[in-house]
Amino acid sequence: ETGVTQTPRHLVMGMTNKKSLKCEQHLGHNAMYWYKQSAKKPLELMFVYNFKEQTENNSVPSRFSPECPNSSHLFLHLHTLQPEDSALYLCASSPVAGGVRNEQFFGPGTRLTVL
Amino acid sequence: GDSVTQMEGPVTLSEEAFLTINCTYTATGYPSLFWYVQYPGEGLQLLLKATKADDKGSNKGFEATYRKETTSFHLEKGSVQVSDSAVYFCALSISNFGNEKLTFGTGTRLTIIP
C-alpha cells in the first residue's frame, strides 16, 4: 500500500449504531487530519494530530471521537450520529502540522450515510 | 476570519478550450495559496501552490499567479483535456508557528466534453 488509505470506502449506519473509520498513511508523516466534505460547502477541518497529540478540535460534536494510536494510524469513532452527518470524510497526512511548505496528502475518503 | 471564494460550477467546456477558474481570498496575514484537484472517487491532490506575492505556481499545464493587489489566485489552462474533468479547490494557509491549517473554497466541478 502506498500513500493514504481509508476504510471502509462506503458506510451506511443507523442513528443508534457505533462504527469507526480508519485511516493509515504509509508516507512516514507525523501529522494526520480529519476533514468533512459536504455538498456545496467548503471542506471542514475536524481534527489535527501532530506526533500523536491532538492539536486542533474544530468545535466538533462529541458524537465524533478521534483516536491516534501512532503516527501512521488515525481513527474516527462514530456514535449516535444524525442524518446531517452524512458526508465524505477525508483523512490527510503531512510531514508535520505547521509550515507552509508541508503539503497535505489525502486519502480517497469514506462516504458515510446516516439513516 | 480567513476565507476563500471560488467561482461556482459546474463548468463545462469543450476539449482544447481555455480554462479560467476564479479564486479570491480574505486573510489577515500573508497566506500561501494552493489549488487542489479531486478526480472522481479519489482524495484531493495538490495541483500547484504559491507562497508569496507574484509567485506563479504551475503543474500539468495549469498555472496560477499570486496577486496580492487583487487578493486573487485564478487557475488557468490554455487547452483542457477530457482527463482534466475533476473538482478543483482553491485553498489558503497561514503559518501560525506550528498551528497551521488549510482553509478551502467550496470547489468547482469541471467537465470537459470531447
Side-chain angles (χ1 to χ4, degrees):
Chain A
E1 291 278 14
T2 58
V4 181
T5 58
Q6 292 186 242
T7 54
R9 294 293 307 274
H10 300 272
L11 178 62
V12 179
M13 60 186 289
M15 289 191 287
T16 58
N17 291 158
K18 290 185 179 181
K19 297 287 184 182
S20 296
L21 309 185
K22 178 182 176 182
C23 175
E24 184 173 2
Q25 58 94 2
H26 309 268
L27 301 168
H29 291 165
N30 293 300
M32 297 188 77
Y33 311 76
W34 279 118
Y35 288 87
K36 177 182 179 182
Q37 184 179 17
S38 304
K40 299 187 178 180
K41 292 177 67 175
L43 260 71
E44 302 171 51
L45 178 65
M46 301 174 71
F47 302 103
V48 180
Y49 278 82
N50 201 22
F51 292 95
K52 301 189 299 178
E53 298 296 320
Q54 187 180 119
T55 58
E56 179 96 18
N57 177 338
N58 202 20
S59 302
V60 180
S62 60
R63 57 185 184 270
F64 295 91
S65 175
E67 178 190 0
C68 188
N70 55 62
S71 294
S72 298
H73 294 85
L74 184 65
F75 295 89
L76 188 62
H77 303 299
L78 316 171
H79 63 99
T80 59
L81 294 192
Q82 305 298 312
E84 59 265 29
D85 297 323
S86 299
L88 181 68
Y89 289 84
L90 292 167
C91 174
S93 71
S94 67
V96 291
V100 297
R101 292 164 184 81
N102 279 325
E103 175 185 348
Q104 291 186 23
F105 292 78
F106 285 79
T110 295
R111 173 69 62 187
L112 173 67
T113 303
V114 182
L115 302 176
Chain B
D2 303 330
S3 66
V4 174
T5 303
Q6 59 182 106
M7 64 186 290
E8 291 197 17
V11 174
T12 302
L13 295 172
S14 297
E15 203 166 20
E16 300 183 1
F18 183 86
L19 168 71
T20 299
I21 300 179
N22 290 338
C23 172
T24 57
Y25 67 89
T26 302
T28 52
Y30 299 95
S32 291
L33 302 173
F34 306 81
W35 276 101
Y36 278 79
V37 58
Q38 186 177 29
Y39 298 105
E42 299 183 14
L44 277 69
Q45 303 173 25
L46 179 66
L47 180 61
L48 53 83
K49 67 181 180 183
T51 58
K52 62 182 187 294
D54 299 325
D55 269 2
K56 177 186 284 188
S58 61
N59 186 25
K60 299 181 180 180
F62 290 90
E63 293 183 340
T65 301
Y66 189 142
R67 302 287 187 198
K68 185 180 175 184
E69 63 275 14
T70 54
T71 62
S72 65
F73 192 56
H74 304 322
L75 182 68
E76 297 182 337
K77 185 173 185 181
S79 177
V80 293
Q81 307 300 313
V82 173
S83 57
D84 294 327
S85 298
V87 182
Y88 292 81
F89 294 89
C90 186
L92 67 82
S93 176
I94 291 183
S95 179
N96 191 22
F97 300 101
N99 193 28
E100 182 167 329
K101 58 184 178 182
L102 287 168
T103 299
F104 286 89
T106 54
T108 302
R109 182 175 298 279
L110 173 66
T111 302
I112 307 301
I113 53 177

